[in-house]
Amino acid sequence: MNVADLEIGEPDAAARRILGGTVTVGDVSVRIVEVEAYGGPLDGPWPDPAAHSFRGPTPRNEVMFGPAGRLYVYLSYGMHLCVNVSCGPDGTAAAVLLRAGEVVAGHHVVETRRAGRGPRSAPVEAGWARGPGNLGRALGVSLADNGSDVFDASSAVTLELLERPLNEKAVASGPRVGVSSEADRPWRFWVIGSQAVSSYKRSPRATAPGGSEA
């Protein structure tokens, strides 16, 4: 698979394309089971007030503006490293946040990073990469990985897509987690039945459907 697989139209289409793919960092591989799509500035094709890129390019978010297939890593709340993949044409902002995954290789490595971390209602391993911060920690990514070409085999972080997108019947969609703007845009996608999928949490600052305060 190559970068053309992500330049397929709307960011939500790219998100669906990434779902089920495998991210590999060193000995660790994680199958992606939950993603969120994000657009860009008001003057772009996919205006998205919830996106980091909404106010235009900055040194922090410039990777979101392409080219597609680049890793966008940012620090959230000063402690969590979140992993995204740019998906718009060069110069056009769009990215897919990798929200959760299932560890498929390197369990011995991830166990040392995430020992004892798992939801009480599921096997411990199901929680190792459950949520974007946990996913970044399980993979062992760093800010130095920002800008990496995930389709270059020599990169420290690589992404292998499925030969074909997952069947629509295997995928659910809904509003994005924790955003206060465009809170009801259904750009979150997950693999039905995966115990690694995170719980939906609506931002208390989000407006209710129709524009009123929640």
Side-chain angles (χ1 to χ4, degrees):
M1 302 299 158
N2 56 48
V3 68
D5 289 277
L6 297 189
E7 295 177 329
I8 53 179
E10 300 277 338
D12 58 330
R16 286 178 175 271
R17 191 68 187 87
I18 289 174
L19 198 63
T22 301
V23 176
T24 298
V25 185
D27 293 331
V28 176
S29 293
V30 173
R31 175 180 178 251
I32 302 303
V33 298
E34 183 185 0
V35 294
E36 283 179 343
Y38 287 90
L42 191 62
D43 60 355
W46 310 297
D48 187 358
H52 288 180
S53 54
F54 184 65
R55 298 186 184 278
T58 67
R60 181 197 192 202
N61 68 25
E62 61 183 354
V63 176
M64 287 188 71
F65 288 81
R70 298 300 194 269
L71 205 69
Y72 171 41
V73 183
Y74 66 85
L75 191 62
S76 176
Y77 297 107
M79 56 191 295
H80 302 299
L81 288 173
C82 296
V83 182
N84 306 252
V85 178
S86 62
C87 61
D90 198 6
T92 302
V96 177
L97 171 65
L98 310 184
R99 280 201 55 87
E102 299 168 347
V103 179
V104 295
H107 295 77
H108 62 293
V109 177
V110 179
E111 185 175 19
T112 63
R113 296 171 177 165
R114 303 288 297 134
R117 304 284 181 156
R120 295 178 181 177
S121 60
V124 170
E125 292 85 350
W128 280 351
R130 189 174 189 258
N134 292 335
L135 175 60
R137 188 174 294 109
L139 286 169
V141 296
S142 71
L143 290 175
D145 296 315
N146 189 55
S148 299
D149 182 350
V150 297
F151 293 112
D152 182 343
S154 66
S155 290
V157 184
T158 59
L159 169 64
E160 181 178 357
L161 303 179
L162 296 175
E163 289 189 8
R164 296 181 180 83
L166 289 172
N167 188 293
E168 291 187 3
K169 293 182 179 180
V171 177
S173 64
R176 294 175 294 190
V177 175
V179 297
S180 57
S181 300
E182 293 289 330
D184 296 292
R185 187 179 297 196
W187 274 11
R188 173 179 171 242
F189 305 92
W190 63 93
V191 176
I192 295 172
S194 172
Q195 293 181 312
V197 173
S198 64
S199 301
Y200 173 70
K201 294 181 181 179
R202 185 180 178 86
S203 169
R205 296 175 296 149
T207 56
S212 61
E213 292 297 324

